[in-house]
Amino acid sequence: ISGDMGSNLPMSPELEQIHGEIRDHFRALANGFQRLDKIKDSTRQSKQLEELTDKMRDCKRLVKDFDRELKEEEARNSPEVNKQLNDEKQSMIKELNSYVALRKTYMSTLGNKKVELFDMGAGASGEPTAEENVQVASAMSNQELVDAGMKRMDETDQAIERSKQVVEQTIEVGTQTAANLKGQTDQMGRVVNHLDTIQFSLKKASQLVKEIGRQVATDKCIMMFLFLIVCGVVAIIVVKIVHPNNKDIRDIPGLAPPAPARKLLYLRNPEYLQR
């Protein structure tokens, strides 16, 4: 399909470089599709089609660069030269569209119904087949082919931009989620520190309660011992008063035994009894 139609056209160095790159891509596409016919494995065919799709994408970008450079140089060229360059641009777009249609045919053969590049629509029911696309392309004029190709390129660029926006939004959501998780992690760390502090305080309080309990028990024992001593002393005093002549109980120091008053008076005053 590719040729050397633009080799004798009067081009600026910039246009000539872009034109040469486009022709190199066309030759690579032609060779790639020829090799594709010899590949029998469907997996290798899919991989080869992906590589050819990347070539088509690069070729589309180069055609847009060619068109942009052509418009910038249009004022410096004669009308005849501009017409020849525009015809060459339309020819390249038509050739690129033919490779796109050929790619669709191979994709349909592989059973892949999803065509992600240079497609006019996404609907399955009303979408034209690859053969119909070839027939439509052959029946279209050069200008119509240019418009259709540019439209498909713009739609692809818009789809890529939407994908970029989705990726950026996803990254932003991921960043916000990471920040929220970091905040929650810090908060959980503070909670754990508070729990450790509370646990330490509870242990100290428990030790303090045990210490107080031991002190109280010791004080109670001392008081009980003193109470028993006091009770013993009181009991001895009571017994000594009741039985003053009981020799089994020793006299308590400082406590004199009670003397029978009547007997003493009788011994000292016998005359008192005679009366």
Side-chain angles (χ1 to χ4, degrees):
I1 301 176
S2 61
D4 294 328
M5 294 177 56
S7 59
N8 298 323
L9 290 175
M11 299 183 188
S12 65
E14 292 80 6
L15 279 178
E16 188 173 358
Q17 181 181 356
I18 298 173
H19 184 268
E21 292 180 7
I22 293 173
R23 286 301 168 188
D24 291 340
H25 278 70
F26 283 159
R27 281 190 289 271
L29 287 171
N31 295 330
F33 278 109
Q34 288 178 2
R35 289 194 302 269
L36 191 61
D37 291 331
K38 300 176 182 179
I39 298 175
K40 303 302 180 182
D41 183 59
S42 59
T43 303
R44 292 179 58 193
Q45 284 182 345
S46 298
K47 186 176 180 181
Q48 179 72 7
L49 277 175
E50 290 177 1
E51 294 177 357
L52 293 174
T53 300
D54 292 337
K55 286 285 184 183
M56 294 179 196
R57 187 178 290 109
D58 292 340
C59 197
K60 179 201 74 170
R61 177 182 55 79
L62 289 170
V63 170
K64 293 185 72 172
D65 292 342
F66 186 89
D67 181 66
R68 183 167 50 252
E69 187 68 27
L70 182 61
K71 290 179 179 178
E72 291 179 358
E73 298 180 3
E74 189 174 7
R76 299 194 298 267
N77 297 329
S78 63
E80 182 63 25
V81 172
N82 287 330
K83 182 179 185 304
Q84 292 177 359
L85 293 177
N86 277 300
D87 290 342
E88 176 64 16
K89 179 188 68 175
Q90 293 170 2
S91 175
M92 290 188 297
I93 292 174
K94 187 174 182 180
E95 188 171 351
L96 178 59
N97 284 334
S98 66
Y99 284 120
V100 172
L102 189 59
R103 173 188 171 276
K104 279 188 172 183
T105 301
Y106 280 101
M107 293 291 288
S108 178
T109 303
L110 289 174
N112 191 344
K113 303 302 181 181
K114 182 180 179 181
V115 182
E116 67 275 4
L117 183 65
F118 305 116
D119 285 346
M120 294 182 65
S125 59
E127 186 176 359
T129 62
E131 292 78 10
E132 291 173 349
N133 283 334
V134 174
Q135 294 175 0
V136 171
S138 62
M140 294 171 67
S141 65
N142 287 336
Q143 186 61 41
E144 289 174 343
L145 282 172
V146 171
D147 295 339
M150 289 300 180
K151 181 180 179 181
R152 293 178 185 179
M153 294 175 187
D154 292 338
E155 289 175 353
T156 304
D157 290 339
Q158 292 174 3
I160 293 173
E161 289 299 326
R162 287 194 297 269
S163 301
K164 289 181 179 178
Q165 291 177 1
V166 171
V167 171
E168 291 176 357
Q169 292 174 358
T170 304
I171 293 174
E172 184 178 357
V173 171
T175 304
Q176 293 177 355
T177 304
N180 292 334
L181 289 176
K182 185 179 183 301
Q184 293 176 358
T185 303
D186 295 339
Q187 185 177 2
M188 289 299 296
R190 290 193 295 270
V191 171
V192 171
N193 292 334
H194 290 328
L195 290 176
D196 291 340
T197 304
I198 292 172
Q199 185 179 7
F200 178 77
S201 301
L202 289 175
K203 287 183 179 179
K204 294 293 289 183
S206 177
Q207 293 176 357
L208 183 60
V209 168
K210 289 180 181 179
E211 187 67 24
I212 294 173
R214 285 194 294 268
Q215 292 179 359
V216 170
T218 303
D219 294 342
K220 285 185 177 180
C221 290
I222 294 173
M223 291 178 65
M224 182 61 69
F225 183 71
L226 292 175
F227 178 74
L228 291 176
I229 293 175
V230 171
C231 290
V233 173
V234 172
I236 293 173
I237 293 173
V238 171
V239 172
K240 199 66 176 173
I241 292 173
V242 174
H243 301 285
N245 297 323
N246 190 349
K247 301 299 182 180
D248 293 333
I249 302 175
R250 297 177 58 185
D251 294 337
I252 299 175
L255 181 64
R262 293 182 177 273
K263 189 174 182 180
L264 290 175
L265 293 173
Y266 173 76
L267 291 175
R268 290 179 180 179
N269 299 313
E271 298 178 357
Y272 175 79
L273 295 176
Q274 294 178 358
R275 280 188 278 176

